[in-house]
Amino acid sequence: MDRVVADLVGLHATDPATPYLSLWARLPGFTVADLDAALYQRRSLVKHLAMRRTLWMVTADDLGHIQAAASDRVADTERRKLVADVQKAGIATNGEKWLDRACDAVLSHLVENGPTNARQLRAALPELAGSYDPAPGKRWGGDTPLSPRVLTVLSVRGDIIRGPNEGTWTTSRPQWTAATDWLTDSPRAAALEAASAQLVRAWLRTFGPATVTDIKWWFGNTLTWARQALRDVDAVEVDMDGTPGFALPDDLEMEPEPDPWGALLPSLDVTTMGWYDRNWYLGEHRSQVFDTNGNAGPTVWWNGRVVGAWTQDDDARVELRLLDDVGRGARKALERQADDLTEWLDGVRISPRFPSPLSRAGR
């Protein structure tokens, strides 16, 4: 299981059910208990804010490289924005000192008291008091507490970890814990260039060939950064049906055609979200299986293309909503997978955080 996560660089975890369903689709015999054990007992997998300011599930072994190549950049942005908002809200004239005191208070409390949820931290620490208006005069504005953003800064810079979950596997109610207490070994520090090269190499091994725009978007960085990382891994330019792309120098052989295959992937699955240019596997279905903000809903795949979406009926049975005529044999194979997923879920209802128009249709 850890190897699968590492090969994909990470799994999207913004929707708490996604990592479980992503692994179910890839690992025969996978159970919820398998992932819970890796997250909360062995602690070989962790949830961490990284590429594109997105929550990921990554291996603890890769955490140091992900921190250097992606999370440090996000942490710097989040810190600067929070400091500016603290000062703009009149909470402190020196936002840097306010934030440092708040961070120190959280870390001290976690070291002394162990895993603690956000609500308990707010109640225990006056240093977290304060609110701001993210959009004055707007409908989505209003009085908003600053404490969650302090936890965001601490987590994205690697000081605290999302520890035990107080909810079910389909919900996210983490207890926060100091990284030094949670992780058996401290993440190995890595230089930016070396970390970037390692992650891009791992990503290209699984997702390549790909365009430089794909790499820039996926890692949430700049074109300059992406081009340098490609040079550092000696990537070779290849022709992708008329579009220039890049592949690893030892990965240039044509892959044999696989046997027919299908998959039921969850919302925000790393494959559905894997590339910036998606027409080659979405065709005309983008508006049906992605929301207007670019978030993928649950998808049905056949032979490397998205052919529809899946949802659940009132009895929690998995239903297919196909957009393409995949043929009788393919439909039967996909229906068997839907039955298998229904059995695996055993009555648990999945409510995607970002449902697509097709997965919402008829509900």
Side-chain angles (χ1 to χ4, degrees):
M1 178 172 57
D2 291 8
R3 185 70 262 160
V4 170
V5 176
D7 286 347
L8 293 166
V9 182
L11 295 176
H12 280 278
T14 302
D15 191 327
T18 293
Y20 293 88
L21 293 168
S22 290
L23 289 169
W24 173 84
R26 291 169 171 86
L27 293 175
F30 169 79
T31 69
V32 168
D34 293 335
L35 181 49
D36 283 348
L39 282 169
Y40 308 124
Q41 297 170 24
R42 296 194 309 276
R43 303 176 187 179
S44 59
L45 298 174
V46 294
K47 292 182 179 180
H48 191 58
L49 210 64
M51 291 72 72
R52 307 191 307 278
R53 199 192 174 278
T54 297
L55 185 63
W56 296 82
M57 188 181 75
V58 302
T59 68
D61 287 343
D62 287 340
L63 192 56
H65 287 90
I66 289 170
Q67 185 68 47
S71 297
D72 281 347
R73 176 183 173 89
V74 178
D76 180 65
T77 299
E78 291 301 307
R79 180 181 178 88
R80 286 188 285 104
K81 289 166 60 178
L82 179 51
V83 165
D85 284 339
V86 165
Q87 293 175 177
K88 186 177 179 180
I91 294 169
T93 55
N94 189 320
E96 294 274 357
K97 288 184 177 180
W98 181 92
L99 180 54
D100 288 341
R101 284 195 297 269
C103 289
D104 289 345
V106 171
L107 285 170
S108 295
H109 185 90
L110 293 179
V111 169
E112 293 175 7
N113 298 278
T116 310
N117 64 38
R119 176 181 53 79
Q120 292 166 334
L121 286 170
R122 289 196 301 270
L125 302 175
E127 292 87 351
L128 293 178
S131 60
Y132 76 114
D133 188 342
K138 303 292 185 181
R139 178 175 53 82
W140 56 88
D143 202 37
T144 305
L146 285 164
S147 55
R149 294 179 62 188
V150 176
L151 300 180
T152 294
V153 168
L154 280 165
S155 64
V156 72
R157 73 188 193 190
D159 291 335
I160 64 176
I161 298 286
R162 290 166 174 81
N165 184 22
E166 295 181 328
T168 67
W169 66 273
T170 62
T171 59
S172 180
R173 295 174 56 195
Q175 291 181 306
W176 293 96
T177 180
T180 51
D181 291 340
W182 187 255
L183 299 175
T184 303
D185 299 311
S186 298
R188 290 169 290 181
L192 173 60
E193 293 78 8
S196 299
Q198 175 156 321
L199 292 190
V200 169
R201 185 182 295 109
W203 188 87
L204 272 179
R205 181 76 61 193
T206 299
F207 293 90
T211 68
V212 66
T213 304
D214 290 329
I215 296 167
K216 168 190 175 295
W217 173 82
W218 198 93
F219 285 97
N221 216 309
T222 64
L223 278 173
T224 299
W225 175 91
R227 289 173 178 139
Q228 182 60 54
L230 288 169
R231 288 192 290 269
D232 289 342
V233 301
D234 298 320
V236 177
E237 186 168 334
V238 296
D239 176 47
M240 296 168 50
D241 295 326
T243 299
F246 293 89
L248 295 175
D250 61 349
D251 191 27
L252 300 178
E253 297 295 324
M254 292 293 293
E255 292 289 335
E257 285 294 323
D259 293 333
W261 64 275
L264 273 59
L265 300 183
S267 65
L268 299 180
D269 184 85
V270 69
T271 295
T272 318
M273 300 290 295
W275 299 268
Y276 181 80
D277 178 13
R278 300 167 178 152
N279 290 339
W280 56 277
Y281 61 95
L282 290 180
E284 299 178 350
H285 304 329
R286 181 188 293 263
S287 63
Q288 292 276 58
V289 297
F290 277 74
D291 68 15
T292 55
N293 293 317
N295 300 304
T299 51
V300 177
W301 291 67
W302 185 254
N303 286 347
R305 292 179 60 84
V306 172
V307 296
W310 63 270
T311 185
Q312 290 172 283
D313 64 16
D314 292 338
D315 295 322
R317 288 196 60 82
V318 174
E319 291 184 327
L320 304 179
R321 292 183 176 166
L322 299 182
L323 295 167
D324 291 344
D325 181 2
V326 295
R328 183 178 179 183
R331 176 181 283 274
K332 283 185 174 295
L334 292 169
E335 286 173 347
R336 285 195 295 271
Q337 290 197 23
D339 290 341
D340 290 343
L341 181 53
T342 296
E343 182 179 358
W344 186 82
L345 288 170
D346 193 23
V348 173
R349 294 195 60 84
I350 303 300
S351 299
R353 187 167 293 185
F354 304 104
S356 66
L358 185 59
S359 65
R360 285 197 307 264
R363 298 193 67 177

